[in-house]
Amino acid sequence: MHSRFIEAFALLPAALQTALEPLLSHDDFPAMLTAAQVADVCAQTGLDDDALAFALLPLAAACSITPISHFHVGAVARGVSGDVYFGANMEFSGASMQQTVHAEQSAVTHAWLRGEAKLASITVNYTPCGHCRQFMNELNSGTALNIHLPGRDVATLGDYLPYSFGPRDLDIATLLMDKFDHGYTLDETDALSKQALQACNQSHAPYSQSHSGIALETHSGKIFAGRYAENAAFNPSLPPLQGALILLNLAGEDYLNVRRAVLIERSQPLVSQRDATRSTLAAIGCTELTALTL
Ligand SMILES: [Zn+2]
């Protein structure tokens, strides 16, 4: 079992420990459960889907990286596929505060990067901040997304974000998590560049059209790609680097082990990720960034 789960796992009910142990015993547990695994764990424990999501929160929160706040937030997103995805907050000491990832952003992005089509619900151990409510308003599930919080009845994003402003107010037809391919091509054969290009092609940037994607390679040779997720309110937008770091972290890798990165964005974009990406990568010890333009 990955060392980060040991403490939280020990505090779970015995029946849940027994059901989860075969999944978590692998070091490469991907911080997600497939629909079949969810059904199996529910059958073994007697928990329903919602109760299981709450029970998993301590494990999700154990994935947080919080050198600044020491405040561990966990989120569990459930896709329409039935698969569930962990999310956790991430902070980067030495970078600007704007580079921070919130747990809800982590769970949403985790689901998106693993190919989930749409979210049905998200369960969080603390009430979502305004930033996250706005971030989630970009999703193709819209204000119908169910939000589960400890000690509260289930409510929708619309309940938590009344009088909202979002993509529909700007006549945006393609929403976050909708499948899309922008069709960019690049004459690169390097595996990292190929994955960065694919991520760029699937990025969500309907306001600036400044599509971008990144791929990170760790010292262990694994590759993690991230897509830009733009937001109607601009500031809650999540850069591609954060997407890749979310996936890397939840896969159990150490974000201080990024060896090199390839960022791909349009030439002369209205919004550029290059300088902030270089700066944040440097804060986590990676100085080898190749920035390619389309
Ligand atoms: Zn938040």
Side-chain angles (χ1 to χ4, degrees):
M1 182 180 299
H2 196 290
S3 58
R4 61 184 171 179
F5 293 125
I6 292 173
E7 195 176 333
F9 182 81
L11 296 173
L12 297 178
L16 186 56
Q17 285 190 17
T18 303
L20 289 176
E21 205 277 337
L23 305 177
L24 268 74
S25 64
H26 302 289
D27 247 3
D28 57 354
F29 169 65
M32 67 165 288
L33 275 69
T34 64
Q37 289 169 336
V38 168
D40 189 36
V41 171
C42 285
Q44 286 189 56
T45 59
L47 298 170
D48 63 20
D49 286 357
D50 294 340
L52 176 61
F54 276 115
L56 292 173
L57 283 178
L59 295 173
C63 299
S64 67
I65 299 174
T66 58
I68 301 168
S69 71
H70 307 292
F71 188 73
H72 308 289
V73 188
V76 172
R78 186 188 307 136
V80 291
S81 68
D83 293 356
V84 301
Y85 307 86
F86 290 11
N89 53 330
M90 298 178 75
E91 300 162 359
F92 308 100
S93 54
S96 71
M97 205 61 116
Q98 282 70 26
Q99 305 308 312
T100 304
V101 174
H102 296 219
E104 297 89 329
Q105 291 180 303
S106 171
V108 166
T109 304
H110 189 196
W112 184 37
L113 292 177
R114 289 201 185 275
E116 183 66 54
K118 192 175 184 178
L119 293 187
S121 70
I122 188 162
T123 305
V124 197
N125 60 352
Y126 294 100
T127 188
C129 73
H131 181 85
C132 286
R133 296 177 197 201
Q134 186 66 49
F135 179 79
M136 292 188 287
N137 196 35
E138 195 71 23
L139 287 166
N140 58 2
S141 37
T143 51
L145 178 71
N146 281 323
I147 298 180
H148 300 258
L149 297 173
R152 288 179 181 269
D153 292 336
V154 62
T156 66
L157 178 62
D159 296 323
Y160 284 101
L161 194 67
Y163 312 109
S164 64
F165 173 79
R168 291 168 183 82
D169 298 303
L170 298 170
D171 295 326
I172 297 298
T174 306
L175 304 170
L176 185 57
M177 290 186 77
D178 281 342
K179 296 269 188 284
F180 209 81
D181 187 334
H182 302 298
Y184 297 112
T185 57
L186 196 65
D187 201 15
E188 291 280 343
T189 53
D190 172 58
L192 216 51
S193 301
K194 283 182 176 175
Q195 291 216 23
L197 177 66
Q198 186 180 25
C200 179
N201 274 323
Q202 297 174 325
S203 64
H204 175 75
Y207 311 101
S208 70
Q209 301 300 320
S210 301
H211 307 114
S212 60
I214 198 169
L216 310 176
E217 185 180 68
T218 63
H219 287 290
S220 60
K222 290 181 182 166
I223 295 176
F224 300 92
R227 312 166 190 155
Y228 179 36
E230 203 162 67
N231 189 276
F234 285 17
N235 294 76
S237 301
L238 195 73
L241 174 61
Q242 273 71 356
L245 289 173
I246 286 165
L247 202 53
L248 179 153
N249 175 46
L250 292 169
E253 290 278 316
D254 186 336
Y255 75 170
L256 298 177
N257 283 339
V258 177
R259 190 174 76 79
R260 66 186 185 107
V262 172
L263 171 72
I264 294 181
E265 57 184 1
R266 295 178 66 172
S267 58
Q268 298 183 309
L270 283 174
V271 173
S272 174
Q273 308 295 337
R274 189 184 54 194
D275 291 348
T277 298
R278 194 179 300 282
S279 170
T280 305
L281 277 174
I284 58 171
C286 173
T287 55
E288 200 177 323
L289 171 66
T290 302
L292 302 174
T293 53
L294 296 164

